[in-house]
Amino acid sequence: MNFKHILFALLLSQTFFLSSCQNQGLLVSGLTDEVEVIRDQHGINHIYAKNEQDLFFAQGYLAAKDRIFQFELWRRQATGTLAEILGERELERDRGVRLFKFRGDKETELRRYHPRGVEIVDAFVAGINSYIEEVRKNPDTLPIEFQMLDILPEFWTWEAVISRHQGLLENVSDELNISRVVSKIGIEKAKQLYYFHPNEPILDIDPGITEELLMKDILAPYQAFRRGVSFRPEDILTSFRREEKEFEKATALLEEELTFTLESDAFAQGSNNWVISGEKSVSGFPIMANDPHRLQAIPSLRYWVHLNAPGWNVIGAGEPAIPGVSIGHNEHGAWGLTIFSTDNEDLKVYDLNPGNPEQYWHKGEWLSMKSIQDTIRVKGQAAQIVTHRYTIHGPVTFIDEELNKLVAVQCAWLEPGSAPYLSSLRMDQSKTWEEFREACTYNQIPAENMVWADKNGNIGWQAAAITPIRRGFSGLVATMGDGRYEWDGYLPVTELPNAFNPKSGFIATANNNVTPPDFPHTDALGFKWADNFRAERIKEMLSQEKKFTVEEMGALQNDYLSLPARQLVPLLKEIRFEDPTTDSLRKALLAWNFILDKNSVQAGVYVMWERMLRRQLDDKFIPQAVKPWLGSIPMTRVLEWMEKPELIFTSEVIIQRNRVLKESFVAAIKELDQKLGANVQNWHYGQSNYKHAQIRHPLGQAVNETWQAKLNTESIPRGGYSFTPGANGYGDNNTSGASFRIVVDTEDWEKTIGINNPGQSGNPESPFYKNLFPIWANDEFVTVPFSKEKIQMLKASQEWLVPKR
């Protein structure tokens, strides 16, 4: 930690000293006994309770206190009640949320996550509601967002905690897009443009599914249910609003940036985790490192907490509206996660009964849809009565009486026990690899690569997911729902790929294909994995004959060496440019170290060249008819084509390949000149006009300039991009990547380092709102104490939550 961080910590401690002395007993309704809370200088709450019920009550109470506006958005998304405050434009989302609502019973659902899952979730919800009751009585204590929107937070139920709206689900939207692409250009051309692996998928579209149907908006309720929430100036009180024209202009630029990033990152988004054995660490004990990658947000998607009570002593992070810790360590071991590729959704098409539009054909008979009526309240107009319909497979998203077709989505995640991350409750109490692996068998959503490292010297990996088995079809294109394309149950988690104490001394996953070549259950695997670049770079570093420290593992999480650059740049040796400046930049790249450092001009030139190369190949090889659905050609394909140009060119393949390389390089130089000016020395990669990080609050676009500065972060130069272990999104703004990081040496829990960008609190008035942003942006970490002695040394405040009798 550098001097400015130490100074900040001292000032923070002084700021909280008086309040902590004066606030020794905070009366809280719903507790059974006193709970001690020590908040460290980085904003992490360390909760000490005398029983399990109070522990999870306090977790809910304190998380809601820190993130109450985030909680209210979560609850409205989870319950389909956004139209109440945002009007008719959110009606379709609310309908979709309710259509895809989990409708199973509470006992079966919550006992799946933990033997005492009902009691834990009830205590957590009671804690949330206790805080909401407090602030509803004293609205002046609420964060500014509630005043801006003129609303109050509403009370929670267990259904909001287990909502699937936030989950990483796969892959019905892709199925529709792939089906459209195949219907337009055929199977072979589609396979050339996509990067399906490790097995060859069946992409035949059943004759009963017409192109005319596929081109309609047949997934509208699903896609509305899955989209992010956005606010407009008219949603907030006049005194806080931004000018409409300014808002529209800024929003258009943001949407363009995000669309570019998402298309370019279609095969790149993901996370990193690894464990190394004691033989590869300086301490002689295993080390675990994890940096999950999601969209950057303020407040952060994740939230650090330390839970201590009889039977519990665990620290780490999870999503704030979920009890427990999904990534972290206890007294025995440490664990982390990345996404494992499975396919837990299918797009089903049915023949509709011409004589009765409430019936569909399945296994030789007409079956009636199940119907549920619902009422959705809408701001500014009368409540809307809607009907949700369901087939034997799942929610109905589209009925076409002209074509006599019906569309539904089969969702494995509507099975009991599929709420994201709640199975972590079992992991939190694991003492051995065997107990941890058993806990993994209860994880269904998201599909995860769970890694483990413990004090006994063990490291392990278990893929964990609810995994439909498909026989004779891939699940990558729409299928008929008439009974010919049925799932053959789910593969048991213990039969998914796993490893324990491998000879290599390490295990690393990065959303890449990690299944062994001889894995027998190929009909339960997905076909779309992240490009291998991050994983290969991590393996390259961990394979060195050396012993690693915690700090070196943190540096690897922020490693910016680009493997695509290492493959592409040498191809410039065969090329010359007449323009002296352009040719000098070519030579500079040939002498470059391939590191996308924020201060590097070569990095700035390379990234723009890579973008232009990908753009030219997209324009040249993606047919116009399928561009809306295909996005961008995967980087793995781009490199494959450049190294083996005969795959795409039919004659003079080297000449044609070099022409594309040369033209894209010239286009990159022209783009940089227009973007950054004629002075090449100003073309360094990290800057506000090129690679940077600025995180915007959900209301941050809709408010006036004064409040933008308050709600949003500043803009800070960055390095890296999607294909480096320090994955920072492909576009100019660092819109995705790791907001949360953790590295744990099992020898000594006090060596743990981590970060949570931009801070622990969601309240713009809190000192913990943006305090970690500059530390994160400079690829630094904070220490994460575990023992009470160390926590006291780093204390910012201390208080006791006392039962209100």
Side-chain angles (χ1 to χ4, degrees), residues 52 215 495 514 613 639 716:
E52 183 177 270
M215 296 305 158
E495 294 186 38
V514 286
L613 174 62
L639 295 177
I716 295 183

Side-chain angles (χ1 to χ4, degrees), residues 625-646:
V626 299
K627 279 193 175 181
W629 313 303
L630 203 145
S632 185
I633 296 168
M635 193 64 197
T636 297
R637 278 279 184 260
V638 170
L639 295 177
E640 183 182 60
W641 291 354
M642 293 300 96
E643 292 191 342
K644 299 177 181 178
E646 64 274 13

Side-chain angles (χ1 to χ4, degrees), residues 514-533:
V514 286
T515 53
D518 59 350
F519 182 67
H521 306 292
T522 56
D523 47 12
L525 286 180
F527 297 89
K528 294 178 68 179
W529 307 74
D531 287 301
N532 218 27
F533 309 118

Side-chain angles (χ1 to χ4, degrees), residues 66 74 107 282 293 364 375 391 410 576 585 760:
D66 261 345
W74 174 293
E107 279 283 328
V282 169
H293 303 165
T375 302
T391 71
Q410 186 173 14
R576 299 291 183 276
L585 290 170
Q760 280 284 101

Side-chain angles (χ1 to χ4, degrees), residues 332-343:
H332 309 280
W335 58 93
L337 55 86
T338 68
I339 295 302
F340 177 82
S341 181
T342 62
D343 181 354

Side-chain angles (χ1 to χ4, degrees), residues 58-77:
Q59 185 186 7
Y61 178 89
L62 292 165
K65 192 173 184 178
D66 261 345
R67 302 284 189 94
I68 187 60
F69 183 63
Q70 188 180 32
F71 268 64
E72 179 61 8
L73 282 189
W74 174 293
R75 187 196 63 79
R76 288 192 176 277
Q77 286 180 270

